[in-house]
Amino acid sequence: MKFENKTALITGSARGIGKAIAERLASQGARIVISDVLMDAAEATVKELNDKGYEAFAIKADVSNADDVQALIKETVAKYQTLDIMVNNAGITRDTLMIRMSEKDWDLVLDINLKGAFLMTQATAKVMMKQRSGRIVNISSVVGQMGNAGQANYSASKAGLIGLTKSSARELASRGITVNAIAPGFIESEMTEKLPEEVRNEFMKATALKRFGKPEDIAAAVAFLVSDDASYITGQILAVNGGLLM
Ligand code: NAD
């Protein structure tokens, strides 16, 4: 029970990778804040966790909205007193070739994936700085490291997260806060389910381990980065991609 008496807030945790992270940290004793825009799914996830005997509750928050983010952090601290672990996991795609991409789809993806992580990091850091301890993990992507045709907005947002990770790691280190990122490869989730068969096949061919990852693979990496075992690791980008990029 590595995370007993620790509070973990995961954005976009109603389903997919965020949910797997919540389950993993809960199974090791953390109190969980499920935060999402999909409240029915968020409540269902909380119920699943509670049924297993884990402490969890849900708060609705759109990470791209500064007022929502402020309220989310305030409510979390009011309920659990501390905020020890925060995972910027919420993310969306609006894929199309760059030449055809609308300004609206560019802004939407950057607002949620990158500005959302900035707003969350800023609000969380204020609490963690007072505590003089904390762990922040940003869910970036292999696509932020290598680019991907049809994902100019998404890859830019995920590359931006790498810069945010390193800058905030430098700013917060003296307060006992580590900030790291995970760059997943192709993970089976509702986000990747909708990709065309040929795109899935291409990713499979390029992945050295010849299988797609599972949300639990990312959750295991998060559990390591937020543990005491990783206390000397900050500003790093951990690739969990099955050898898609080396
Ligand atoms: P998903 O679509 O299943 O989950 C994303 C969650 O984020 C959803 O619950 C959604 O409601 C929530 N969300 C969307 N907009 C939000 C907002 N404005 N505020 C709060 N929550 C919001 O996708 P997933 O595959 O579980 O992805 C989780 C994260 O992992 C994303 O950041 C994604 O970019 C990243 N990622 C996924 C893969 C993959 O292969 N699946 C690869 C690399 C990175």
Side-chain angles (χ1 to χ4, degrees), residues 1-237:
M1 300 301 268
K2 273 187 187 167
F3 307 123
E4 208 159 20
N5 296 320
K6 304 249 187 239
T7 307
L9 188 169
I10 304 110
T11 67
S13 47
R15 69 178 195 203
I17 293 171
K19 181 181 175 186
I21 295 167
E23 283 171 343
R24 172 67 190 245
L25 299 181
S27 75
Q28 290 181 271
R31 303 178 285 245
I32 303 293
V33 179
I34 298 289
S35 163
D36 211 293
V37 285
L38 303 174
M39 271 326 264
D40 288 350
E43 295 292 1
T45 297
V46 166
K47 188 172 180 312
E48 272 181 51
L49 293 174
N50 290 160
D51 287 349
K52 289 182 181 157
Y54 305 145
E55 176 64 43
F57 84 114
I59 303 176
K60 181 170 182 168
D62 171 352
V63 292
S64 65
N65 180 307
D67 292 338
D68 277 16
V69 167
Q70 291 302 327
L72 169 62
I73 302 299
K74 207 172 150 197
E75 245 188 276
T76 298
V77 175
K79 169 101 178 156
Y80 289 141
Q81 287 76 52
T82 66
L83 176 52
D84 307 286
I85 296 164
M86 195 278 287
V87 184
N88 278 313
N89 167 79
I92 62 160
T93 52
R94 287 293 181 277
D95 297 351
T96 191
L97 291 176
M98 186 271 297
I99 204 95
R100 284 196 219 122
M101 191 171 284
S102 67
E103 189 180 345
K104 187 168 150 268
D105 279 351
W106 173 272
D107 286 345
L108 186 64
V109 169
L110 269 290
D111 269 3
I112 293 174
N113 297 9
L114 186 56
K115 190 182 85 176
F118 155 66
L119 293 172
M120 283 297 301
T121 302
Q122 191 180 51
T124 298
K126 287 180 184 160
V127 178
M128 289 182 173
M129 283 164 82
K130 279 196 205 125
Q131 290 173 181
R132 302 196 74 83
S133 72
R135 293 272 190 275
I136 298 172
V137 178
N138 296 323
I139 306 300
S140 176
S141 170
V142 66
V143 158
Q145 298 170 306
M146 59 190 264
N148 193 24
Q151 291 197 307
N153 48 3
Y154 182 78
S155 62
S157 73
K158 295 298 182 178
L161 274 179
I162 293 175
L164 174 68
T165 300
K166 294 182 181 181
S167 296
S168 36
R170 288 186 188 280
E171 289 189 22
L172 300 174
S174 65
R175 307 298 186 98
I177 303 163
T178 68
V179 188
N180 291 289
I182 291 173
F186 193 109
I187 309 296
E188 294 279 12
S189 76
E190 286 184 51
M191 183 179 273
T192 46
E193 207 172 73
K194 57 188 181 202
L195 288 173
E197 200 55 35
E198 76 238 37
V199 174
R200 293 173 66 91
N201 290 342
E202 263 175 50
F203 273 109
M204 179 63 88
K205 239 179 23 203
T207 300
L209 289 177
K210 297 292 172 234
R211 62 179 171 85
F212 293 141
K214 293 189 172 50
E216 291 73 21
D217 294 316
I218 305 307
V222 171
F224 168 63
L225 287 174
V226 303
S227 74
D228 287 346
D229 292 337
S231 59
Y232 200 53
I233 300 177
T234 197
Q236 302 305 306
I237 316 306

